[in-house]
Amino acid sequence: MKICTKNHHHWSLLDSLPHDKNGAGKYKCAGCAYEKGFKAGKNKEESLNIDLDKLHESQSGTMQYKSPHAAFAQGYVDGINNS
Ligand SMILES: [Zn+2]
């Protein structure tokens, strides 16, 4: 999978999310997971699939090791709040 080239790597809103040091989401981009969750929340999707394999790999920086699961969930809530 390609390394993420989007510029969401330093979003402060993801600062409080837990890290994923050893889990399946370790090298996955939490920013992409957040955007995916946000979209799902906005559409009020009821069948959620984080689909880790389809996320870009994270670059080094603060986003690395952030849990994509938590990022997706945060995005989902924020998406609902914005819908
Ligand atoms: Zn990304």
Side-chain angles (χ1 to χ4, degrees):
M1 189 52 68
K2 285 179 193 158
I3 290 176
C4 182
T5 54
K6 292 183 182 172
N7 62 355
H8 50 216
H9 290 280
H10 299 288
W11 284 356
S12 56
L13 55 112
L14 297 176
D15 278 354
S16 60
L17 295 181
H19 289 85
D20 188 348
K21 287 202 165 93
N22 299 302
K26 185 177 173 185
Y27 293 115
K28 294 301 180 179
C29 180
C32 287
Y34 177 88
E35 286 184 356
K36 205 169 173 183
F38 189 91
K39 212 172 138 199
K42 228 175 165 176
N43 295 330
K44 301 246 171 68
E45 287 175 25
E46 290 170 7
S47 182
L48 303 176
N49 187 356
I50 301 176
D51 208 0
L52 278 180
D53 285 344
K54 291 221 174 92
L55 293 175
H56 288 128
E57 306 231 333
S58 59
Q59 295 176 338
S60 57
T62 55
M63 301 288 289
Q64 199 163 22
Y65 304 138
K66 285 291 182 188
S67 166
H69 301 87
F72 183 94
Q74 179 71 56
Y76 189 74
V77 172
D78 289 351
I80 289 171
N81 285 332
N82 275 276
S83 67

